[in-house]
Amino acid sequence: MNSRRIMAAFPAAAEDQVTLANWRQHPYSEWAFRNVRELLPTANIARSREPSPLSFAPRYLDDVSFADLRGETIDVSKALRSSHTDGIVVSHRGQIVFEWYAHDLTPDTPHLIFSVSKSIAGTLGGILADNGKLDPDAPVTRYIPEMEGSVYGGACTVRHLLDMSVGIRFDEDYMARDGDVINYRRSTGWEPPDPSLPPTNLRDYLRTLRPNGTPHGHTFHYVSTNTDVLGWVYERACGISYAKILSHYIWQPMGAEHDAYIAVDSRGAARVAGGICASLRDLARFGEMMRNHGVSNSRQVVPSWWIDDIRHNGNAEAWARGDLTKVFPNGNYRSKWYTIDRSETPFAAVGIHGQWIYVDPVDETVIARVSSQPLPMDLDLDHMWMRGYRAIATRLSGKS
């Protein structure tokens, strides 16, 4: 199919129409991931009135080489064009040194970032904790009493939500045609409604989830619903909507240049786990803030102790017992951020279909990349780009 024809006519022909049934399928996703607002209800995340200024120092990085999927040499230029990348921004020492866009994405266009949204939520938790609004060690039911009787009742704490260590019965299989992920997506409005089933919504669905018999804190078990519950906790702690919390505590203080937005369900519940759409430059600002120990726009936006905790803590044993060791064999997870390798310093926010914020404090490099990869999880592409990120950072550091 010619992706240029998708949604190009008014109205589009049936075969070129993006719908809830096909919007996450390639090539429809090239259009959908930058036009989520035309498919789903959303809530606005207001930008700063005084955006942090960007500094540009262009570098030629097209020829930076690394190993491709087959172990052969590929360069950045070819990798971008062959991996369904929609855009990339590279910054070094706070200056944008490389910027590239495709598939009609522009510097001003928000792009769906899927689970990079989780890392933003995890970062927000540190700000709320530092402000005395959130106790990470408190039980979830302190904030949401309605969760008693679900997996999130009893001994489940906010920290278990942050670190994906809830002992929950849930199979996060993105390729499944029925079961947990489909039911979850249907509750958020991300799937076409099933006329044979009664209507549902996200918060009601979250209360139906049950334990798997594993003690909370024992095992890293990646389940998106944990982050949606976390967002609900934040709303109860602050008394305002998640979109307004995020704008007030991060997007505006960080100096975001563009409004972002987040998908919401039929009752306004935010898809905290994967529904944020943001511009690449603002994602780069966010990554740069993390590299600079929480400072952005000359302000301490995120407490430095929280970023230290993200980088140096986490439960390596729980990670080793978990379900993503194929992605990061020697990795870790803390407050929704991945440590790629515990023996190295880079850490990352990662979303399905190829969304990344890669932060390398030693080489002073931040890489924000958004994509419309056909597979939700493509380990070969992820590992190729991890080699690419390292190669870019190494070039910029002058080590080679």
Side-chain angles (χ1 to χ4, degrees):
M1 174 180 288
N2 184 353
S3 62
R4 288 287 177 184
R5 293 173 52 186
I6 292 173
M7 300 297 284
F10 301 94
E15 64 272 18
D16 301 325
Q17 179 74 45
V18 179
T19 70
L20 287 180
N22 66 18
W23 71 284
R24 294 184 310 276
Q25 300 170 13
H26 197 268
Y28 301 100
S29 57
E30 286 184 6
W31 183 91
F33 291 175
R34 56 183 168 80
N35 289 283
V36 170
R37 243 179 186 158
E38 297 191 35
L39 296 164
L40 300 169
T42 62
N44 199 58
I45 301 167
R47 65 188 182 275
S48 173
R49 294 181 180 179
E50 298 179 359
S52 57
L54 295 176
S55 175
F56 295 84
R59 294 279 299 272
Y60 184 76
L61 300 178
D62 296 65
D63 65 341
V64 173
S65 61
F66 46 95
D68 70 3
L69 310 181
R70 296 176 297 278
E72 300 173 358
T73 299
I74 194 171
D75 60 29
V76 165
S77 178
K78 291 179 181 178
L80 289 171
R81 289 167 173 81
S82 64
S83 62
H84 306 281
T85 297
D86 297 324
I88 188 170
V89 171
V90 180
S91 68
H92 183 240
R93 296 175 179 169
Q95 294 183 307
I96 291 180
V97 297
F98 186 83
E99 194 171 23
W100 183 91
Y101 296 91
H103 310 140
D104 295 325
L105 191 70
T106 72
D108 301 322
T109 307
H111 190 287
L112 181 61
I113 58 175
F114 287 102
S115 290
V116 171
S117 306
K118 292 181 175 70
S119 301
I120 294 174
T123 304
L124 182 56
I127 301 172
L128 298 183
D130 200 59
N131 278 269
K133 293 184 175 293
L134 181 75
D135 179 358
D137 296 319
V140 171
T141 51
R142 177 187 296 182
Y143 302 96
I144 316 175
E146 306 95 299
M147 281 300 183
E148 198 62 67
S150 77
V151 66
Y152 299 110
C156 185
T157 68
V158 176
R159 173 50 65 191
H160 296 137
L161 302 178
L162 283 161
D163 290 353
M164 288 290 189
S165 59
V166 177
I168 184 173
R169 186 172 70 240
F170 193 101
D171 182 12
E172 187 128 341
D173 179 0
Y174 301 116
M175 302 301 288
R177 298 300 182 93
D178 55 25
D180 293 331
V181 169
I182 295 298
N183 293 334
Y184 168 49
R185 285 174 177 163
R186 190 173 288 122
S187 77
T188 65
W190 284 37
E191 288 282 328
D194 185 338
S196 69
L197 298 173
T200 184
N201 63 82
L202 178 58
R203 294 189 183 109
D204 283 351
Y205 174 73
L206 295 174
R207 293 169 63 191
T208 70
L209 299 174
R210 296 294 180 261
N212 65 0
T214 303
H216 300 310
H218 180 268
T219 302
F220 172 83
H221 181 27
Y222 189 93
V223 175
S224 286
T225 60
N226 297 338
T227 313
D228 295 307
V229 175
L230 183 68
W232 191 359
V233 166
Y234 292 173
E235 290 178 324
R236 285 289 174 84
C238 297
I240 56 176
S241 72
Y242 183 77
K244 289 182 178 178
I245 297 168
L246 181 52
S247 174
H248 179 76
Y249 286 103
I250 292 185
W251 224 242
Q252 293 186 48
M254 180 185 78
E257 182 180 2
H258 303 105
D259 286 355
Y261 60 88
I262 188 167
V264 298
D265 77 347
S266 60
R267 297 189 180 180
R271 182 76 187 275
V272 178
I276 291 178
C277 300
S279 73
L280 258 178
R281 287 181 177 177
D282 283 335
L283 293 177
R285 282 182 171 92
F286 180 76
E288 185 65 17
M289 176 181 67
M290 297 300 289
R291 185 186 73 83
N292 281 315
H293 261 81
V295 175
S296 182
N297 208 21
S298 301
R299 297 177 61 176
Q300 187 76 49
V301 179
V302 185
S304 60
W305 64 264
W306 188 259
I307 296 176
D308 285 338
D309 185 72
I310 287 171
R311 291 186 55 198
H312 303 300
N313 288 326
N315 188 329
E317 291 77 21
W319 176 266
R321 289 188 285 263
D323 43 22
L324 288 183
T325 54
K326 289 183 179 179
V327 184
F328 306 120
N330 193 39
N332 215 335
Y333 193 83
R334 184 71 165 176
S335 297
K336 309 294 180 186
W337 284 86
Y338 295 94
T339 295
I340 293 174
D341 188 313
R342 293 192 299 276
S343 66
E344 300 176 357
T345 60
F347 60 108
V350 186
I352 58 172
H353 296 285
Q355 327 309 319
W356 280 79
I357 300 176
Y358 175 91
V359 183
D360 185 337
V362 169
D363 288 338
E364 303 173 285
T365 298
V366 171
I367 302 172
R369 178 174 156 263
V370 294
S371 306
S372 49
Q373 292 173 191
L375 293 177
M377 291 189 68
D378 191 325
L379 291 185
D380 289 337
L381 274 181
D382 284 338
H383 287 152
M384 181 190 82
W385 271 110
M386 279 190 272
R387 294 188 292 270
Y389 302 147
R390 289 189 181 100
I392 290 169
T394 298
R395 166 72 68 84
L396 292 171
S397 71
K399 293 177 181 176
S400 68

